[in-house]
Each structure stands twice: as C-alpha cells, then as structure tokens.
Amino acid sequence: MSLTAAMVSLALAVSGCSNPRESGGSESSGGGTIRIGLASAGYGPYLPVYVAEQEGYFEDRGLDVEITAYQGGGAATEALVAGEADIISYTPAGVAVSRSRGIEQRIIGAGLPTSTGWSVQVRADSDIQSVEDLAGRQVGIGNPGGTGEYFALWVEQTAGIDFEPVALGYGALNESLLQGTVDAIVQLPPASYDLPLSGEARVIMDLGETMEPTLPDAWVASDELIASDSEMVQLALEAIYEGVRKLQSDEAYALSVLEERAGITGELAREEYSNTIMALSTDGDIKASWIDNALQLAADVGLDSQGDLPAAEDVYTGEFVPVDVGAGD
C-alpha cells in the first residue's frame, strides 16, 4: 500500500471512532492522569517521557502518567481518536492528512526538528554507490504509512527514480539488509548507527544532512483536550521538556537510560546521545518553516493529490510553547 493510501485509510478508519473523553468529560484541570502514546518503544526522541516519569516530573505537577508504545504513528492516532491516549507522537504530514479527513488534532510541541540520524544504507560490498542506483531495487522501510516510507518516497522524488519499498519493521531492517532480502534500507536512529559502525554497511544518503528541517517527531493532542484542559496539556509538556533537559545535561545518566530503554551501549549509545538526544528541542518551540517544509514534502510525495491538506497554521498551535525552561525546577 502506498503512503498516501495508508494515511488516507487510517484517517477514514478512525474518523468514525468516538472519544470517551468527549462523551464522558475531561479530567479536572490541573491534575488527573495524562495518557501518552508513543509511535514505538526505545526511540531516542521519546525517552524524555520515560525520564519524566522516572524522575517524578509529572508527579511534581500533580499528574499521573500512563505511557503506551504503539506500532507506528498511525496506531497512536487511532488511540488518540478512540480516547485511549491524550498526547501522542506523530508527524506534521500525518496530522495534516488526519485533519483533512475530519480528525481534529494538532501539534502542540516540537520533539526532534530534523531527521538527524536517519539514513539510507546499503551493504558494504554492494555495487550501489548512490541513491540513483536504487532505481528498480527493493528498499526496506519500517512500518507502512510511517515516517520511513515518507522519507523513502522523498528519496525517490529527489533522485528522480522509482524503487520498491518493502515494509519489514524497523527491528528487522538491519538483518534483512545483511541477508540480502533487500538492496537498501531507510533506517532510523539508533539502529541506523549499528551497521556503519561495524563496517557491514555504508551510508549513501544522510537524511539529517540532506533534508530541510521537517519536524519528524512532534507532540500532538486533540483539539478537544486542548480546549477542555489546556492546563493539563501545559503541565505534561513541562514535564516532558524537563526530561529533555535532564538527558542533555547529564551524559552518564542519558547513557544509562539508553541502555535500559533502548538496549544500546558503547559507541552506538554515544552516537545516539550526540546525534539524537542533543538535537531534541528543549522548549518545544515550533517554527512555521518546519511545518511548511513538511507539508511541501507531503505534496512532493503525493499526499496532497486532491489539494485538501490544511495550511500550516491549522496543523499546529503555539499556545503552549516555548515551555518555560525553569518550570518545575
């Protein structure tokens, strides 16, 4: 299934879901339980949520927190619409497509502004030297309709080629490349550092260096929650960005969290810390140009074929950011 079809199918599927918070009422302002849905487990940009839970940053603000890792941003969106999550991680393109199908959610804070750490890789002994050589080849991606497929389509469009994207799940990409199941992979960090560090693969395109900032990881909430309990949203974001500051200010602590949550150590963990953790937004501030870039990419890869994607200003709100870096200290 193409990225366009996958996102549209998701939007149509969840647009009919009811939201228990709408029908049953929201939690009282300034307290209660915040339910956070992540697109995957162990991914660097999501670690601040776990840190905020572990260090008591949510509790300091009168919040209980429930954290659930889903299989991709699409599944997290389903949870948001079904009322099973209050804040999720997602992309501007995903939010835009959802809004065009009547799913009222928007970005409330920046996570990772750039695609740092993402790369297109081939085996070290491959005859493929550049992305142009991928024409007609099989390229492994993570989840259908996810960021990896979005980036793969961008690579096709940029290089002026066509290849066959093969959804394998991020956990299987590296081994599939080594076994020759696919000719190349579009991999996310920290797994993207593993094979190049071992010398088993080569990076033929560093997406973090090649792409304009598109905010591939953002925090998203429903319009209903934003309207009904903005204080809960604000407090939750304060806790998350305090988690970011904790990770960035204490490398030894961050490396221990990477070992515990992502299962990585040594040089791989240091690469993830330097390239991903240190690139995370510390206050959630959102630049309109990032959203513009993301929506332009969405149009370039065919997500706006009907011309119905919303304008950038309708995809995000600046109500909650920049978060006061001194909050909760």
Side-chain angles (χ1 to χ4, degrees):
M1 180 183 290
S2 70
L3 180 59
T4 304
M7 284 191 166
V8 170
S9 294
L10 165 68
L12 292 175
V14 300
S15 60
C17 295
S18 62
N19 187 330
R21 284 205 183 241
E22 289 185 18
S23 59
S26 64
E27 299 287 350
S28 59
S29 182
T33 300
I34 189 78
R35 299 163 300 176
I36 300 179
L38 308 178
S40 65
Y43 180 42
Y46 306 155
L47 296 184
V49 176
Y50 293 108
V51 169
E53 177 189 37
Q54 179 176 304
E55 298 299 317
Y57 301 151
F58 290 107
E59 183 179 359
D60 290 346
R61 294 166 171 83
L63 296 176
D64 294 321
V65 62
E66 297 176 0
I67 305 169
T68 303
Y70 296 94
Q71 295 298 313
T77 291
E78 290 181 352
L80 183 76
V81 175
E84 297 168 0
D86 300 310
I87 294 175
I88 64 170
S89 54
Y90 208 21
T91 66
V95 172
V97 170
S98 296
R99 290 194 69 85
S100 73
R101 300 296 182 266
I103 301 171
E104 296 180 345
Q105 58 179 4
R106 66 184 67 228
I107 294 169
I108 55 173
L112 186 65
T114 72
S115 50
T116 181
W118 284 83
S119 63
V120 183
Q121 302 178 16
V122 298
R123 291 185 302 279
D125 61 355
S126 173
D127 62 348
I128 297 171
Q129 300 300 317
S130 68
V131 291
E132 286 77 13
D133 297 333
L134 295 176
R137 306 291 188 108
Q138 290 188 319
V139 177
I141 61 171
N143 303 311
T147 304
E149 186 173 7
Y150 177 56
F151 286 169
L153 288 170
W154 178 83
V155 170
E156 284 186 299
Q157 191 271 340
T158 300
I161 60 172
D162 290 305
F163 53 68
E164 180 185 351
V166 182
L168 300 167
Y170 292 108
L173 287 180
N174 287 1
E175 189 61 28
S176 296
L177 179 65
L178 295 180
Q179 291 180 351
T181 304
V182 291
D183 301 294
I185 57 174
V186 179
Q187 183 62 288
L188 82 172
S192 59
Y193 308 128
D194 195 7
L195 298 184
L197 283 173
S198 69
E200 296 173 282
R202 290 182 286 110
V203 173
I204 60 172
M205 178 175 280
D206 184 327
L207 297 178
E209 294 181 355
T210 307
M211 301 179 73
E212 294 290 331
T214 59
L215 193 59
D217 293 291
W219 298 110
V220 175
S222 68
D223 288 1
E224 190 276 333
L225 181 63
I226 292 170
S228 67
D229 208 338
S230 62
E231 185 175 359
M232 176 181 279
V233 174
Q234 187 71 62
L235 292 172
L237 287 177
E238 288 177 6
I240 291 171
Y241 293 114
E242 188 171 0
V244 173
R245 295 194 300 275
K246 173 65 175 176
L247 287 167
Q248 293 183 345
S249 65
D250 190 338
E251 181 176 357
Y253 174 84
L255 292 176
S256 70
V257 173
L258 285 166
E259 180 176 5
E260 177 186 359
R261 292 291 178 181
I264 58 174
T265 59
E267 187 62 26
L268 185 61
R270 286 189 288 275
E271 286 285 328
E272 177 71 342
Y273 177 77
S274 298
N275 294 310
T276 303
I277 300 301
M278 292 304 294
L280 293 175
S281 172
T282 58
D283 62 7
D285 199 21
I286 304 166
K287 295 185 182 299
S289 62
W290 300 343
I291 308 298
D292 288 334
N293 290 340
L295 296 186
Q296 182 59 56
L297 281 176
D300 289 345
V301 302
L303 286 181
D304 197 23
S305 59
Q306 298 182 19
D308 60 355
L309 288 188
E313 57 266 27
D314 296 324
V315 173
Y316 76 101
T317 175
E319 176 181 352
F320 305 103
V321 295
V323 169
D324 180 4
V325 296
D329 290 347

